[in-house]
Amino acid sequence: MRFIALLTLLALASQAAELFVSSPDGHTEVAFHLNKAGEPNYSVTYKKEPLLLESSLGLKLKSGGNLEDGFTLASSSTTGQNETWTPFAGERSEIRDHYNELTVALSGKGDNRLEIRFRAYNEGAAFTYFIPKQENLKSFTISEELTRFQFASDHFCWDTKDPQEVYRRVPISEAGDNIERPLVVEATPFVALGEARLVDYARLRFTTPSANTFGIKLGSEVRAEAPYATPW
């Protein structure tokens, strides 16, 4: 439920249970796979160089289901769009909406199903979790989001705990928790982490759960019913 904007994804292939998503210009490639525990993971390269290392995906439910591990790949599909739309207000009269989309359908424990949808733009990448209508998971409470963004090194980033405060330029290792979004990271190229379509979901802040890695802390639990989609 997150977007990764490149500041300076659709060719699809399957190899050893991996799915690859490339941007229209071919510069950015996202690899998706399930590890031995059936946990969803992804990584990102830019011009063949690592940008995000293997990072986890998934949702922790308070009760009544598991959307974290034990998954198998049920199916995958692709689509794309190249259109323009007119904003109500802004710097541009038209905005091009050009992306390729990959949907990964996962089957988990207790017949729980989860889809992860990736959209790949020349400007970056985005993904969202979609919980389809299903008999064993009609209503649920999301207590934690397991999304991670693991960078290749301890890059500088621009940290603030409040959007009205002064930003600090610090390494990831010194950023701490409760970080506001969007979060700019001085990778190559620069990256902005954020969210879009924040509807019926908890506002996020970033944390640093491990070395060179940002995680997500939700502002509250999320109560929902299937079918349900998180923000991008």
Side-chain angles (χ1 to χ4, degrees), residues 75-110:
S75 65
S76 64
S77 61
T78 61
T79 187
Q81 178 169 294
N82 185 7
E83 298 179 351
T84 59
W85 60 279
T86 302
F88 179 76
E91 296 181 350
R92 301 177 183 179
S93 60
E94 287 187 341
I95 296 176
R96 188 181 184 189
D97 190 21
H98 185 199
Y99 63 84
N100 295 304
E101 181 173 304
L102 163 68
T103 298
V104 178
L106 305 175
S107 179
K109 299 176 181 177

Short mmCIF file of all heavy atoms in Angstrom, two decimals, residues 75-110:
data_model
loop_
_atom_site.label_atom_id
_atom_site.label_comp_id
_atom_site.label_asym_id
_atom_site.label_seq_id
_atom_site.Cartn_x
_atom_site.Cartn_y
_atom_site.Cartn_z
N SER A 75 -2.10 -17.73 -8.69
CA SER A 75 -2.11 -17.27 -10.07
C SER A 75 -1.49 -15.88 -10.13
O SER A 75 -1.23 -15.25 -9.10
CB SER A 75 -3.54 -17.21 -10.63
OG SER A 75 -4.31 -16.25 -9.93
N SER A 76 -1.26 -15.41 -11.34
CA SER A 76 -0.81 -14.03 -11.55
C SER A 76 -1.39 -13.55 -12.88
O SER A 76 -1.68 -14.34 -13.78
CB SER A 76 0.72 -13.94 -11.56
OG SER A 76 1.25 -14.67 -12.65
N SER A 77 -1.56 -12.25 -12.99
CA SER A 77 -2.10 -11.67 -14.22
C SER A 77 -1.53 -10.27 -14.39
O SER A 77 -1.05 -9.66 -13.44
CB SER A 77 -3.63 -11.61 -14.17
OG SER A 77 -4.07 -10.79 -13.09
N THR A 78 -1.60 -9.77 -15.62
CA THR A 78 -1.06 -8.45 -15.90
C THR A 78 -2.05 -7.63 -16.71
O THR A 78 -2.90 -8.17 -17.42
CB THR A 78 0.27 -8.54 -16.70
OG1 THR A 78 0.01 -9.20 -17.95
CG2 THR A 78 1.32 -9.30 -15.93
N THR A 79 -1.93 -6.33 -16.58
CA THR A 79 -2.71 -5.39 -17.38
C THR A 79 -1.91 -4.11 -17.46
O THR A 79 -0.82 -4.00 -16.88
CB THR A 79 -4.10 -5.14 -16.76
OG1 THR A 79 -4.87 -4.34 -17.66
CG2 THR A 79 -3.99 -4.44 -15.42
N GLY A 80 -2.42 -3.12 -18.17
CA GLY A 80 -1.72 -1.86 -18.29
C GLY A 80 -2.66 -0.75 -18.69
O GLY A 80 -3.81 -0.99 -19.10
N GLN A 81 -2.18 0.48 -18.58
CA GLN A 81 -3.00 1.63 -18.95
C GLN A 81 -2.09 2.77 -19.40
O GLN A 81 -1.00 2.97 -18.87
CB GLN A 81 -3.83 2.09 -17.75
CG GLN A 81 -4.69 3.32 -18.02
CD GLN A 81 -5.70 3.58 -16.92
OE1 GLN A 81 -6.62 2.80 -16.72
NE2 GLN A 81 -5.52 4.67 -16.21
N ASN A 82 -2.55 3.51 -20.40
CA ASN A 82 -1.84 4.68 -20.89
C ASN A 82 -2.89 5.73 -21.27
O ASN A 82 -3.36 5.75 -22.41
CB ASN A 82 -0.95 4.33 -22.07
CG ASN A 82 -0.10 5.50 -22.52
OD1 ASN A 82 -0.07 6.55 -21.88
ND2 ASN A 82 0.60 5.33 -23.63
N GLU A 83 -3.28 6.55 -20.31
CA GLU A 83 -4.31 7.55 -20.51
C GLU A 83 -3.88 8.87 -19.87
O GLU A 83 -2.84 8.94 -19.22
CB GLU A 83 -5.64 7.09 -19.90
CG GLU A 83 -6.20 5.81 -20.51
CD GLU A 83 -7.50 5.39 -19.85
OE1 GLU A 83 -7.87 6.00 -18.81
OE2 GLU A 83 -8.14 4.45 -20.36
N THR A 84 -4.67 9.88 -20.03
CA THR A 84 -4.45 11.15 -19.35
C THR A 84 -5.71 11.53 -18.58
O THR A 84 -6.82 11.12 -18.94
CB THR A 84 -4.10 12.28 -20.33
OG1 THR A 84 -5.17 12.43 -21.27
CG2 THR A 84 -2.81 11.98 -21.07
N TRP A 85 -5.52 12.29 -17.50
CA TRP A 85 -6.66 12.78 -16.74
C TRP A 85 -6.44 14.24 -16.38
O TRP A 85 -5.31 14.72 -16.36
CB TRP A 85 -6.92 11.92 -15.51
CG TRP A 85 -5.78 11.85 -14.53
CD1 TRP A 85 -4.69 11.06 -14.59
CD2 TRP A 85 -5.66 12.62 -13.32
NE1 TRP A 85 -3.87 11.27 -13.52
CE2 TRP A 85 -4.44 12.22 -12.71
CE3 TRP A 85 -6.43 13.58 -12.67
CZ2 TRP A 85 -3.99 12.76 -11.51
CZ3 TRP A 85 -5.99 14.13 -11.48
CH2 TRP A 85 -4.79 13.70 -10.90
N THR A 86 -7.53 14.94 -16.12
CA THR A 86 -7.48 16.36 -15.85
C THR A 86 -7.69 16.61 -14.36
O THR A 86 -8.76 16.30 -13.82
CB THR A 86 -8.56 17.11 -16.64
OG1 THR A 86 -8.37 16.85 -18.04
CG2 THR A 86 -8.50 18.59 -16.38
N PRO A 87 -6.71 17.17 -13.66
CA PRO A 87 -6.86 17.44 -12.23
C PRO A 87 -7.77 18.64 -12.00
O PRO A 87 -7.93 19.51 -12.88
CB PRO A 87 -5.43 17.74 -11.77
CG PRO A 87 -4.75 18.27 -12.99
CD PRO A 87 -5.36 17.52 -14.15
N PHE A 88 -8.39 18.70 -10.83
CA PHE A 88 -9.25 19.84 -10.48
C PHE A 88 -8.42 21.12 -10.38
O PHE A 88 -8.85 22.20 -10.79
CB PHE A 88 -9.96 19.57 -9.16
CG PHE A 88 -10.85 20.69 -8.70
CD1 PHE A 88 -12.08 20.91 -9.30
CD2 PHE A 88 -10.44 21.54 -7.69
CE1 PHE A 88 -12.89 21.96 -8.89
CE2 PHE A 88 -11.25 22.59 -7.27
CZ PHE A 88 -12.48 22.79 -7.87
N ALA A 89 -7.20 20.98 -9.83
CA ALA A 89 -6.28 22.12 -9.73
C ALA A 89 -4.87 21.56 -9.71
O ALA A 89 -4.64 20.42 -9.32
CB ALA A 89 -6.56 22.93 -8.47
N GLY A 90 -3.91 22.37 -10.13
CA GLY A 90 -2.53 21.90 -10.11
C GLY A 90 -1.67 22.62 -11.12
O GLY A 90 -2.13 23.53 -11.84
N GLU A 91 -0.43 22.20 -11.22
CA GLU A 91 0.53 22.85 -12.11
C GLU A 91 0.32 22.45 -13.56
O GLU A 91 0.74 23.17 -14.47
CB GLU A 91 1.95 22.51 -11.68
CG GLU A 91 2.34 23.04 -10.30
CD GLU A 91 3.75 22.70 -9.93
OE1 GLU A 91 4.38 21.90 -10.65
OE2 GLU A 91 4.25 23.22 -8.91
N ARG A 92 -0.29 21.27 -13.79
CA ARG A 92 -0.47 20.77 -15.15
C ARG A 92 -1.94 20.62 -15.47
O ARG A 92 -2.73 20.24 -14.62
CB ARG A 92 0.24 19.43 -15.32
CG ARG A 92 1.74 19.47 -15.04
CD ARG A 92 2.34 18.09 -15.16
NE ARG A 92 3.76 18.09 -14.83
CZ ARG A 92 4.52 17.00 -14.83
NH1 ARG A 92 4.00 15.82 -15.14
NH2 ARG A 92 5.80 17.09 -14.51
N SER A 93 -2.31 20.91 -16.71
CA SER A 93 -3.70 20.78 -17.12
C SER A 93 -4.08 19.33 -17.37
O SER A 93 -5.25 18.95 -17.24
CB SER A 93 -3.96 21.60 -18.38
OG SER A 93 -3.12 21.15 -19.45
N GLU A 94 -3.09 18.50 -17.74
CA GLU A 94 -3.31 17.07 -17.93
C GLU A 94 -2.16 16.29 -17.29
O GLU A 94 -1.02 16.74 -17.28
CB GLU A 94 -3.38 16.71 -19.42
CG GLU A 94 -4.66 17.14 -20.11
CD GLU A 94 -4.75 16.60 -21.52
OE1 GLU A 94 -3.70 16.21 -22.08
OE2 GLU A 94 -5.87 16.56 -22.05
N ILE A 95 -2.50 15.12 -16.77
CA ILE A 95 -1.51 14.24 -16.16
C ILE A 95 -1.59 12.88 -16.83
O ILE A 95 -2.68 12.30 -16.95
CB ILE A 95 -1.73 14.10 -14.64
CG1 ILE A 95 -1.53 15.46 -13.96
CG2 ILE A 95 -0.79 13.05 -14.05
CD1 ILE A 95 -1.81 15.45 -12.49
N ARG A 96 -0.47 12.38 -17.27
CA ARG A 96 -0.43 11.09 -17.94
C ARG A 96 -0.46 9.97 -16.89
O ARG A 96 0.31 9.99 -15.93
CB ARG A 96 0.83 10.96 -18.79
CG ARG A 96 0.86 9.73 -19.68
CD ARG A 96 2.15 9.65 -20.46
NE ARG A 96 2.15 8.51 -21.38
CZ ARG A 96 3.22 8.12 -22.07
NH1 ARG A 96 4.36 8.80 -21.95
NH2 ARG A 96 3.15 7.08 -22.88
N ASP A 97 -1.34 9.02 -17.08
CA ASP A 97 -1.46 7.87 -16.19
C ASP A 97 -1.04 6.62 -16.98
O ASP A 97 -1.87 5.93 -17.56
CB ASP A 97 -2.90 7.75 -15.70
CG ASP A 97 -3.05 6.73 -14.59
OD1 ASP A 97 -2.04 6.43 -13.93
OD2 ASP A 97 -4.18 6.25 -14.36
N HIS A 98 0.24 6.38 -17.00
CA HIS A 98 0.82 5.31 -17.83
C HIS A 98 1.51 4.30 -16.92
O HIS A 98 2.52 4.62 -16.28
CB HIS A 98 1.84 5.92 -18.80
CG HIS A 98 2.41 4.92 -19.77
ND1 HIS A 98 3.57 5.13 -20.45
CD2 HIS A 98 1.97 3.68 -20.15
CE1 HIS A 98 3.84 4.08 -21.22
NE2 HIS A 98 2.87 3.19 -21.05
N TYR A 99 0.96 3.12 -16.82
CA TYR A 99 1.54 2.11 -15.93
C TYR A 99 1.26 0.71 -16.46
O TYR A 99 0.39 0.49 -17.29
CB TYR A 99 0.98 2.24 -14.51
CG TYR A 99 -0.51 1.99 -14.40
CD1 TYR A 99 -1.02 0.69 -14.28
CD2 TYR A 99 -1.41 3.04 -14.39
CE1 TYR A 99 -2.37 0.46 -14.17
CE2 TYR A 99 -2.77 2.83 -14.29
CZ TYR A 99 -3.24 1.53 -14.17
OH TYR A 99 -4.59 1.30 -14.06
N ASN A 100 2.01 -0.22 -15.96
CA ASN A 100 1.75 -1.65 -16.12
C ASN A 100 1.45 -2.23 -14.74
O ASN A 100 2.00 -1.76 -13.74
CB ASN A 100 2.95 -2.36 -16.73
CG ASN A 100 3.24 -1.88 -18.13
OD1 ASN A 100 2.39 -1.93 -19.00
ND2 ASN A 100 4.46 -1.41 -18.37
N GLU A 101 0.56 -3.19 -14.69
CA GLU A 101 0.12 -3.73 -13.40
C GLU A 101 0.24 -5.25 -13.36
O GLU A 101 -0.14 -5.94 -14.31
CB GLU A 101 -1.33 -3.31 -13.14
CG GLU A 101 -1.87 -3.81 -11.79
CD GLU A 101 -3.26 -3.25 -11.49
OE1 GLU A 101 -3.40 -2.01 -11.48
OE2 GLU A 101 -4.19 -4.05 -11.30
N LEU A 102 0.77 -5.73 -12.27
CA LEU A 102 0.87 -7.16 -12.00
C LEU A 102 0.05 -7.48 -10.76
O LEU A 102 0.20 -6.82 -9.73
CB LEU A 102 2.32 -7.56 -11.77
CG LEU A 102 2.58 -8.91 -11.08
CD1 LEU A 102 2.18 -10.05 -12.00
CD2 LEU A 102 4.04 -9.02 -10.66
N THR A 103 -0.83 -8.45 -10.85
CA THR A 103 -1.58 -8.94 -9.69
C THR A 103 -1.11 -10.34 -9.34
O THR A 103 -1.12 -11.24 -10.18
CB THR A 103 -3.09 -8.96 -9.97
OG1 THR A 103 -3.54 -7.62 -10.24
CG2 THR A 103 -3.86 -9.52 -8.78
N VAL A 104 -0.69 -10.50 -8.10
CA VAL A 104 -0.25 -11.80 -7.59
C VAL A 104 -1.32 -12.31 -6.64
O VAL A 104 -1.60 -11.66 -5.62
CB VAL A 104 1.11 -11.69 -6.88
CG1 VAL A 104 1.54 -13.04 -6.32
CG2 VAL A 104 2.17 -11.14 -7.82
N ALA A 105 -1.92 -13.44 -6.94
CA ALA A 105 -2.95 -14.04 -6.09
C ALA A 105 -2.34 -15.15 -5.26
O ALA A 105 -1.74 -16.09 -5.79
CB ALA A 105 -4.09 -14.59 -6.94
N LEU A 106 -2.48 -15.03 -3.94
CA LEU A 106 -1.85 -15.97 -3.01
C LEU A 106 -2.93 -16.74 -2.24
O LEU A 106 -3.96 -16.17 -1.86
CB LEU A 106 -0.95 -15.24 -2.02
CG LEU A 106 0.14 -14.34 -2.64
CD1 LEU A 106 0.87 -13.58 -1.54
CD2 LEU A 106 1.11 -15.17 -3.46
N SER A 107 -2.65 -18.00 -2.00
CA SER A 107 -3.54 -18.85 -1.21
C SER A 107 -2.80 -19.25 0.06
O SER A 107 -1.67 -19.74 -0.01
CB SER A 107 -3.95 -20.09 -2.01
OG SER A 107 -4.78 -20.94 -1.25
N GLY A 108 -3.43 -19.04 1.23
CA GLY A 108 -2.73 -19.27 2.48
C GLY A 108 -3.42 -20.27 3.38
O GLY A 108 -4.30 -21.03 2.97
N LYS A 109 -3.02 -20.23 4.65
CA LYS A 109 -3.54 -21.16 5.64
C LYS A 109 -5.04 -20.94 5.84
O LYS A 109 -5.52 -19.82 5.80
CB LYS A 109 -2.80 -20.95 6.97
CG LYS A 109 -1.30 -21.20 6.89
CD LYS A 109 -0.63 -20.87 8.21
CE LYS A 109 0.87 -21.10 8.13
NZ LYS A 109 1.55 -20.71 9.40
N GLY A 110 -5.76 -22.04 6.03
CA GLY A 110 -7.20 -21.94 6.25
C GLY A 110 -7.96 -21.40 5.06
O GLY A 110 -9.03 -20.82 5.21
#
